[in-house]
Amino acid sequence: MTPDSSSSTAGDTRPVVAVLFGGRSSEHAVSCVSAANVLAAIDRSAYRVIPIGITRQGTWRIVEDWEKFTFDPEAMPEVTDDGTSVIPSISEHREPLLHRGADGTLSELVVVDVYFPVLHGRYGEDGTIQGIFELSNTPFVGAGVLASAVSMDKHFMKAVMANSGIPACPFVLVTEVKYEHAPEVMTARVEQLGFPAFVKPCRAGSSIGVSKINDTSELDAALRAAFEHDNKVIVEPLVDGREIECSVLGSVYDRRARTSVPSEIVVGGDHEFYDFEAKYLDLDSVELICPADVDAETTAKIQDLAARTFKAFECTGLARVDTFVTADGEVLINELNTLPGFTPSSAYPQMWAASGLEYSELISELISIAMSDHARQAANQPTS
């Protein structure tokens, strides 16, 4: 089985792009839908493409029917085990992927020229799989190991922002161990923040495990719900402001990253905040206003902080920076997402489209940045 196996690849010099999706996180389904859109948009005249899904148990396999991946509340998309697997190389010599058939026979697949991870959450955007790419000496789209790991953890993300002078929302860290042994102390610290407040797992995305609480009586249940996804949780007070996002694109070698026009998320219906259902299932309850209706001064402030955040974490490729804009014009950074969604409702590609960069061009730009960064890093490596 080979990339674009419907046609011969003999003598084909197009770079091979391996798109990875699915994975072991709670955002498995979101990843599948994002990947379907990325796979449909990659320019086949410029690249050969191999779609690799990762099951919830961590098995890599070729997925030929990725076109069927859409959000369906009754049957969410999933990469299932079909008895075959793909074995990645971790050799610095960039050896071919191996394919294990259902009968156990091994065959060489292809040498990957660039990985495009469309993986959300743990084991995807937290630096773990980026380590495999680094070990195999293969270019890849998005942030490296350190930037991915730090930005995935909301606790350490806030520490980096504080050290870099980037204004962020106040918070209290609650670990499962501390809450078990000193619940009164943790509760008192949360009460000092004030209510309403949001309880969030430190290392999860897509608003999974997030709860809004209105008083102390709701804290215990919210913490326990968050602990189902992580043993570290942050609690943040409600910020009375508009939710404004900004997309960032560029290389770690750029003096300043490019920023898109900002967009605003307006949530209605029965949703108190931008939860998983509002993001992906109940789209009629959410309006993405792009460009956001903000004045030029505020737009410039949002874009400047987004670019500064991107550089502070030494990101490369892409990132979405989420902010709160208060009534008096203060801009606070809420989160940094180094592998934002690419679903039809996702803000990242929509913001770039509104900025003049269409989806397929955006995908090509990200692949180009990945390959260029890798070549530059290789040129700077000392010879043995």
Side-chain angles (χ1 to χ4, degrees), residues 163-187:
N163 186 66
S164 302
I166 296 169
C169 304
F171 74 101
V172 167
L173 174 71
V174 182
T175 67
E176 196 166 12
V177 171
K178 287 182 179 179
Y179 187 65
E180 179 183 344
H181 289 89
E184 300 86 358
V185 174
M186 293 292 99
T187 299

Side-chain angles (χ1 to χ4, degrees), residues 232-286:
K232 289 201 312 182
V233 170
I234 63 168
V235 184
E236 298 174 325
L238 172 70
V239 175
D240 186 11
R242 299 162 63 186
E243 294 188 51
I244 309 289
E245 302 181 338
C246 187
S247 293
V248 188
L249 176 68
S251 165
V252 69
Y253 294 105
D254 293 338
R255 183 172 181 179
R256 179 180 174 85
R258 295 152 58 188
T259 52
S260 71
V261 298
S263 66
E264 179 173 11
I265 297 168
V266 179
V267 181
D270 297 328
H271 305 280
E272 287 195 81
F273 64 98
Y274 196 34
D275 58 11
F276 181 88
E277 185 176 351
K279 284 183 178 180
Y280 302 114
L281 301 178
D282 187 12
L283 300 183
D284 291 339
S285 68
V286 178

Side-chain angles (χ1 to χ4, degrees), residues 25 46 49 114 154 184 225 229 246 262 324 326 354:
S25 86
V49 181
V114 57
K154 296 178 179 65
E184 300 86 358
H229 301 277
C246 187
F324 291 116
T326 65

